[in-house]
Structure formats: C-alpha cells, structure tokens
C-alpha cells in the first residue's frame, strides 16, 4: 500500500477503450470493429485484422474521473489526465493528454498511438490524473483501477490468463486426489489444458461468500479472498510453465504456445525486470536448472503474482472499509 503526504481522490479512474484502427503502409486506415477489444478482459488485440505490415495503431480512450476531481473547491489545480502506454520489453513509454469533454465534466477522452516498430508483444495502458497540490506540480491524485493490455500480435482479446473454476466437497469428491486437501479452502491444478481452481464446499459459508454480491464490508472481503486465490493461481501456473519447457539443441528454452506461454510473457517482466522476455526466460531457466539463484527468485515470482492478482488494491479496500466502520461506530 502506498501513502501520500497530500490529498488524493479515494476512488480510481474508470478507463475504457472505445475504438481502434490501424494505419497501413499506403497511408490508409483500417478501422477495427469491437471484436478487437474486450472490456471484461481489458485487452486490445491488434492482430485481429491480420495485417502483418501495419505501421501504427490509434486507440480511442474514454476516462471517467471519480466524484470530486473537478470540484471548484478541490485542493488541487492545473488538473491533467494522461494516458500512459508502457512496454516493459522494449522500455518504450508513450504519454498523451486526454481532453475534458465539457467544462467541469468528469469525462475525458482522446487517442494514443502505438507504433508497431516500438513493440514486440504486450503493452500496458493506464490513465493517471495529475495536478498541482500544495504548490507542487505533477502530483498523482488518482489513476485507473487496472491496466488495459494492448497486444500487437494477438488475433483475439483473450487477456492474460483463463481459468476453469469448479466447486466440490474435497472430503467426498469423486476426484480422489482432492481428499488429502480436505481442510484447504481451495487448490490449484496447473497440469491440464487450462489451469483448474477447485473450491472446497466443505468450508462452511465459503462458497456463498465467493459468490455473493451483498455489498459493504462483505463485498470487500470477497474481493480480498479472490485476490488471494488469484495470487496462488498465478504462482502455481508460473511454476508449472517454467517446469516443463522445451529446449533448443543449444539449451535455450522455448516459449510454450498454450496458456503457459501467456503466463510467462505476462509475468517475466516483473520476475526479471529490465530484460526482453526471451532473455528473461533464459535466465529463469538457467536458475531453475542450475546450481544457484532459483531460491532467490521466489520473492520476485511472488511479487509478480501479487501484482497480477491486484492483492494490494483489495487489501487497501478492506482497510478503508474497516476504517469507515470504525468512524461510523465512534460517531
């Protein structure tokens, strides 16, 4: 959790992709239909039109700021809303200002360009609101609640990780392998076509909490549990992915073509930062199969899993809800 020595907005920016188009070598532009981007997956797939020689992509954005951002008596001035495109593989960072739709509006919109030669795979897209606070310009007062992914080669906006989630009584399940885990609330099986998360219905009230939409603190606890499960999933699937790599004759590891490859490309920039994903995979493979360095890498793997799962945000939401309850009880 981050702490700031100045006032900030307590809620995030809602970011949406509303259009995408490709500029082709002859100067014409191919406007992609909505199948190129997925709001639930927060992913843009620029390979959907199967143009191999496109020059750049233009992505239309809409951002909704939380209440209070543009109030006349807000404790900040010189408000700017910026879209930021970050590529951990090529170290390219692109920033553009979004435009306020109308004066005092919470809606901001604009476009950001993605140059094909600057990127090789997936790129993170976020929006930040910055302002002058306490006389200091450029301070962040809020940001989007989750990055979008722009994939320059994917033909479908599938996102980074798809899961198969099932519920069963571990103690009485026909799946005998579950029975030794009868006291666990969930387990992850990363050996199949898709990662499988099994929810243990023997834990009283657990399934109801995971599936409930009651709001309030219970909803925040639900969010925290889901993020903890997701952390376990990302950790398990990363270990599964690096544990069964094919290698070239010279010993270089090969990216898997299924979900394991998706997981590695998603997590490697945080596991081994500052390297292209191909070199990062070689380094992880050397550490796992060599004499040293694998144990030290576990902290980075856990960190990458925590980031993908949004655990920090979920914990912060629970703490804010508890603080609000305490304030209401003491009022």
């Amino acid at each position: 959790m981050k702490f700031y020595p100045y006032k900030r907005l307590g809620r995030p920016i809602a970011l949406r992709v509303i259009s995408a188009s490709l500029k082709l070598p002859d100067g014409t532009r191919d406007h992609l239909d909505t199948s190129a981007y997925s709001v639930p997956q927060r992913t843009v797939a620029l390979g959907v039109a199967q143009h191999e020689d496109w020059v750049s992509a233009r992505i239309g954005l809409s951002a909704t700021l939380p209440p209070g951002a543009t109030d006349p008596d807000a404790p900040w001035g010189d408000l700017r809303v910026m879209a930021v495109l970050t590529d951990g593989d090529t170290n390219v960072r692109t920033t553009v200002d979004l435009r306020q739709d109308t004066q005092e509006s919470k809606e901001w919109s604009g476009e950001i360009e993605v140059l094909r030669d600057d990127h090789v795979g997936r790129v993170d897209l976020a929006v930040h609101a910055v302002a002058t606070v306490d006389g200091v310009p450029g301070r962040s007062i809020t940001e989007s609640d989750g990055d979008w992914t722009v994939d320059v080669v994917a033909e479908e906006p599938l996102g980074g990780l798809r899961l198969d989630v099932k519920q069963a009584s571990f103690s009485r399940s026909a799946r005998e392998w579950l029975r030794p885990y009868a006291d666990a609330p969930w387990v992850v099986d990363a050996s199949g076509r898709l990662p499988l998360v099994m929810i243990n219905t023997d834990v009283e009230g657990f399934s109801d909490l995971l599936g409930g939409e009651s709001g309030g603190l219970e909803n925040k606890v639900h969010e925290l549990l889901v993020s903890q499960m997701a952390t376990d999933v990302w950790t398990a699937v990363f270990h599964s992915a690096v544990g069964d790599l094919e290698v070239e004759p010279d010993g270089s590891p090969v990216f898997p073509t299924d979900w394991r490859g998706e997981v590695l490309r998603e997590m490697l920039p945080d596991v081994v930062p500052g390297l292209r994903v191909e070199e990062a995979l070689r380094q992880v493979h050397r550490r796992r199969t060599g004499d040293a360095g694998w144990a030290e890498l576990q902290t980075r793997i856990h960190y990458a899993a925590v980031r993908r799962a949004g655990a920090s945000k979920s914990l912060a939401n629970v703490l804010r809800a508890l603080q609000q309850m305490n304030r209401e009880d003491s009022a």
Side-chain angles (χ1 to χ4, degrees):
M1 184 189 305
K2 293 182 179 180
F3 295 91
Y4 297 86
Y6 57 88
K7 291 185 180 298
R8 276 174 44 96
L9 288 163
R11 294 171 59 185
I13 300 171
L15 170 62
R16 299 172 300 281
V17 169
I18 57 175
S19 66
S21 64
L22 299 177
K23 182 179 179 182
L24 305 181
D26 61 1
T28 61
R29 188 167 291 277
D30 186 358
H31 295 273
L32 306 180
D33 62 28
T34 56
S35 65
Y37 48 91
S38 167
V39 174
Q41 298 287 356
R42 304 178 71 85
T43 302
V44 182
L46 296 178
V48 67
Q50 298 184 333
H51 293 296
E52 296 183 357
D53 55 351
W54 58 274
V55 177
S56 64
R58 182 176 296 165
I59 299 175
L61 305 174
S62 176
T64 303
L65 270 62
T70 58
D71 287 353
D73 58 349
W76 47 70
D78 305 319
L79 177 65
R80 297 172 62 193
V81 180
M82 299 182 295
V84 181
L85 200 67
T86 306
D87 190 330
D89 293 337
T90 61
N91 292 323
V92 172
R93 183 181 176 93
T94 305
T95 303
V96 297
D97 283 278
L98 301 184
R99 304 176 302 275
Q100 192 174 17
D101 290 357
T102 60
Q103 189 174 12
E104 307 302 328
S105 172
K106 296 191 291 292
E107 304 294 327
W108 298 62
S109 58
E111 297 172 327
I112 194 165
E113 292 283 337
V114 182
L115 300 179
R116 181 65 182 91
D117 289 343
D118 286 346
H119 308 288
V120 296
R122 291 177 174 173
V123 189
D124 293 328
L125 175 62
V127 168
H128 297 260
V130 299
T132 299
V133 187
D134 298 333
V136 181
R139 281 183 158 173
S140 173
I141 60 170
T142 189
E143 53 279 320
S144 48
D145 56 353
D147 290 355
W148 276 66
T149 296
V150 179
D151 196 315
V152 300
V153 295
E155 298 180 5
E156 294 183 71
L158 296 175
L161 183 62
R162 287 159 287 155
L163 300 173
D164 187 11
V165 181
K166 290 182 169 59
Q167 298 190 22
S169 165
F170 285 14
S171 62
R172 300 184 297 275
S173 175
R175 295 179 173 90
E176 293 187 3
W177 65 271
L178 285 174
R179 294 175 187 172
Y181 310 112
D183 59 346
W186 66 80
V187 293
V188 181
D189 178 11
S191 62
R193 184 181 60 86
L194 287 178
L196 171 65
V197 182
M198 294 297 305
I199 306 298
N200 189 359
T201 58
D202 292 336
V203 180
E204 185 176 356
F206 184 54
S207 295
D208 293 338
L209 182 59
L210 288 177
E213 296 291 341
S214 60
L217 180 60
E218 187 171 329
N219 190 54
K220 303 302 182 185
V221 174
H222 160 94
E223 182 183 345
L224 183 62
L225 283 172
V226 170
S227 70
Q228 180 58 59
M229 289 173 58
T231 299
D232 290 351
V233 170
W234 279 105
T235 303
V237 296
F238 183 87
H239 281 279
S240 176
V242 298
D244 191 25
L245 291 171
E246 294 184 7
V247 295
E248 300 281 10
D250 64 357
S252 298
V254 178
F255 272 100
T257 57
D258 59 3
W259 62 263
R260 293 170 179 84
E262 297 178 3
V263 166
L264 292 174
R265 292 184 184 278
E266 183 81 10
M267 294 182 68
L268 281 170
D270 282 326
V271 176
V272 189
L275 298 179
R276 295 174 66 91
V277 290
E278 291 80 6
E279 177 55 36
L281 181 62
R282 285 193 287 270
Q283 185 173 134
V284 169
H285 181 66
R286 285 196 299 268
R287 292 195 185 192
R288 192 187 70 83
T289 59
D291 296 329
W294 180 239
E296 290 80 359
L297 207 59
Q298 300 310 302
T299 300
R300 296 294 315 184
I301 295 171
H302 183 259
Y303 167 71
V306 166
R307 284 199 64 194
R308 298 295 167 298
S312 295
K313 176 192 169 191
S314 299
L315 178 59
N317 288 341
V318 170
L319 293 175
R320 279 196 293 268
L322 288 172
Q323 291 168 355
Q324 179 66 29
M325 288 180 60
N326 291 335
R327 285 194 295 268
E328 292 173 354
D329 290 342
S330 60

